Amino acid sequence: MFTLIELVQPESLEEAYEILSKRKNNIVIGGSAFLRMGQKRIGTGIDLSNLNLNLIEESEDYIEIGAMTTLRDLEVSPILNKYFDQVISKSVKDIIGIQFRNVVTVGGSVFSKYGFSDLIVGLLALDTEVELYKGGRMSLEEFLNKKYEKDILVKLHIKKNNASALYKCMRNSRSDYPILNVSVSKSDNSFKICVGARPQRATIAKEASDFISSNILNEENIIKASEIASKELVFGSNMRASKEYREAICKSLVKNALMEVSSC
Ligand SMILES: Cc1cc2nc3c(=O)[nH]c(=O)nc-3n(C[C@H](O)[C@H](O)[C@H](O)COP(=O)(O)OP(=O)(O)OC[C@H]3O[C@@H](n4cnc5c(N)ncnc54)[C@H](O)[C@@H]3O)c2cc1C
């Protein structure tokens, strides 16, 4: 369990950032579920509850999601569930249980770039941007590849395009961390294949995505694309699965996801 010297609830993002920058061990606190797993000694914990960041809003071109929105809010959002074949809801629905998802936040989940993250893989298939208080707005892909810098994740912005999307995941047992997760989106004739829990953080299988986007969507090419994805990406071993097993699961999940997309 972490130790917290002081807890503050700033009234503005500027104030929150100022406190965050003051000392190395001052940090933003989301649902604090992951923080509880460690032994961090935190100076000032910054709770963003007063900043109206628990929101899911739709504008003409984007869906905005505030950092303090919980994963359960995402799962049951009537706005999000109108789009992208409910891929966001499907990506988070198996994380532990409802009570847990009622607590954990989008900010804590995305800013931490956990390799196993179900949410990040779901979001990566879409045209998602991350808004940081200091770092500004950038694509989720760019954010994932960026070096860690202290900042506050304020919102996510998902472009409302006509993408259809799918999420697939393999767990050793219910409520365990995923051993591999895959999302696939199709917008016009362009495919995006994303893979996470490799166990490294989520990434786009670019060669496989390009291959299937520029070839006829039939069984032969789907099998080829799944082989390309499992070869182009780097996998690793941990207590949940070996590198070789992940590579095999990747092939199978990508194939199944593309098969489902092709039958839509
Ligand atoms: C036991 C357990 C099992 C889990 N299993 C899964 C799983 O199977 N799949 C899955 O996808 N996830 C899983 N998770 C992760 C979970 O879904 C959340 O992503 C995680 O708990 C972080 O969210 P939080 O709100 O609790 O963040 P916190 O614990 O509050 O914070 C985590 C980190 O994020 C930082 N942070 C929080 N909010 C912000 C912000 N707005 N801006 C900048 N930094 C911020 C904090 O400073 C901290 O470093 C699991 C977590 C736990 C504890």
Side-chain angles (χ1 to χ4, degrees), residues 26-239:
N26 290 357
I27 66 163
V28 178
I29 302 222
S32 81
F34 212 81
L35 280 170
R36 273 163 215 253
M37 306 253 290
Q39 306 288 326
K40 260 195 182 141
R41 205 177 148 72
I42 301 167
T44 303
I46 305 157
D47 175 2
L48 308 177
S49 295
N50 285 347
L51 303 181
N52 297 321
L53 292 176
N54 185 349
L55 62 88
I56 302 175
E57 281 174 3
E58 184 177 7
S59 65
E60 201 176 326
D61 296 324
Y62 286 92
I63 299 169
E64 278 186 13
I65 303 171
M68 290 301 280
T69 307
T70 69
L71 300 199
R72 179 66 178 166
D73 295 330
L74 297 183
E75 189 183 346
V76 297
S77 160
I79 293 177
L80 279 170
N81 284 332
K82 275 194 296 184
Y83 296 98
F84 320 118
D85 308 310
Q86 307 180 353
V87 71
I88 299 300
S89 175
K90 288 174 185 167
S91 70
V92 298
K93 73 176 178 46
D94 290 321
I95 302 174
I96 313 263
I98 291 176
Q99 293 91 335
F100 182 84
R101 298 195 295 279
N102 267 328
V103 170
V104 296
T105 62
V106 166
S109 299
V110 176
F111 192 81
S112 306
K113 306 181 187 177
Y114 302 118
F116 54 77
S117 175
D118 292 290
L119 175 61
I120 288 178
V121 174
L123 290 167
L124 194 57
L126 307 177
D127 202 343
T128 304
E129 288 173 74
V130 170
E131 180 186 333
L132 302 173
Y133 179 70
K134 210 66 195 168
R137 211 161 138 167
M138 68 195 77
S139 70
L140 175 60
E141 185 189 8
E142 186 184 343
F143 172 70
L144 291 175
N145 293 325
K146 223 166 104 80
K147 252 180 51 200
Y148 172 80
E149 272 172 48
K150 247 190 177 192
D151 209 331
I152 300 171
L153 191 149
V154 181
K155 280 181 188 168
L156 301 178
H157 303 263
I158 306 177
K159 184 123 199 247
K160 281 182 4 188
N161 54 24
N162 61 354
S164 48
L166 256 160
Y167 179 78
K168 298 251 166 224
C169 176
M170 172 89 175
R171 286 176 153 82
N172 281 333
S173 61
R174 223 181 132 85
S175 85
D176 195 4
Y177 292 102
I179 56 168
L180 201 90
N181 45 27
V182 165
S183 62
V184 171
S185 65
K186 180 175 179 251
S187 177
D188 300 322
N189 273 328
S190 180
F191 287 85
K192 195 170 1 161
I193 300 168
C194 310
V195 183
R198 298 172 294 124
Q200 298 90 327
R201 73 178 56 134
T203 190
I204 301 170
K206 294 216 157 119
E207 286 174 40
S209 304
D210 287 348
F211 174 81
I212 202 66
S213 301
S214 52
N215 283 284
I216 299 164
L217 191 65
N218 57 24
E219 190 170 350
E220 190 188 340
N221 286 334
I222 285 175
I223 291 171
K224 249 191 213 163
S226 64
E227 283 168 358
I228 296 171
S230 67
K231 290 292 166 218
E232 75 173 285
L233 299 176
V234 175
F235 299 94
S237 303
N238 64 8
M239 62 184 284

